[in-house]
Amino acid sequence: MGYVLMAFAAGAAVALQGVINSQLRPMWGLVPAVVLNMVVSSVPILLYWVVQGAPTPSRAQLAETPPILWIGGLCGLFIVISGALVFTRLGATTALGLILAGQFVVAALVDHYGWLGMPQQSFNVSRAAGLLLLGLAVWLFRR
């Protein structure tokens, strides 16, 4: 149950982050708003890292890391930039609905093909129906 609540809270955080960044953008400009977001998110995790005494990856570990695994940070940056731009233009519900739709489509592909080491879960009628219902929900929110 704890992971379910955490996932729900993460979804709420995505919605709030998009709204907040879309409000900062006209006040400060896109780049300063994104930098503030990245600094505010980086400082606490860096402090936690130092306080916990977590190990720092070695050069060898960094060199052995597959290049595809380095794009997570770029994905986060793209999410922040996109939220700052689209929430005010599309509205929070439509923007988040489209963000969720993108997440579900890519997640279904990742599951189906077992990309990036994820366990394979075949795409089936139930999953297709879920994607169609999500598309319908976005369409209804947009009306």
Side-chain angles (χ1 to χ4, degrees):
M1 183 57 113
Y3 288 121
V4 170
L5 292 175
M6 182 182 246
F8 183 84
V14 169
L16 290 174
Q17 180 187 45
V19 170
I20 290 166
N21 289 336
S22 72
Q23 297 303 303
L24 273 176
R25 184 186 50 81
M27 293 171 57
W28 292 10
L30 179 62
V31 172
V34 170
V35 168
L36 173 69
N37 183 287
M38 295 289 126
V39 168
V40 168
S41 62
S42 296
V43 168
I45 196 63
L46 287 172
L47 288 173
Y48 179 80
W49 188 6
V50 169
V51 169
Q52 289 297 313
T56 302
S58 68
R59 284 186 179 175
Q61 288 172 308
L62 294 173
E64 293 169 4
T65 301
I68 189 78
L69 299 182
W70 289 95
I71 67 168
L74 293 176
C75 290
L77 177 63
F78 182 72
I79 291 164
V80 171
I81 290 170
S82 297
L85 294 171
V86 303
F87 271 69
T88 54
R89 289 178 175 85
L90 299 176
T93 306
T94 299
L96 194 57
L98 291 167
I99 290 167
L100 287 173
Q103 289 175 330
F104 273 93
V105 167
V106 171
L109 289 168
V110 167
D111 282 347
H112 181 74
Y113 292 106
W115 290 342
L116 298 168
M118 294 298 293
Q120 263 187 294
Q121 297 179 20
S122 295
F123 192 75
N124 56 32
V125 173
S126 295
R127 288 174 176 245
L131 289 177
L132 288 173
L133 287 172
L134 181 59
L136 176 62
V138 172
W139 179 77
L140 288 169
F141 284 133
R142 189 78 176 133
R143 291 183 45 105

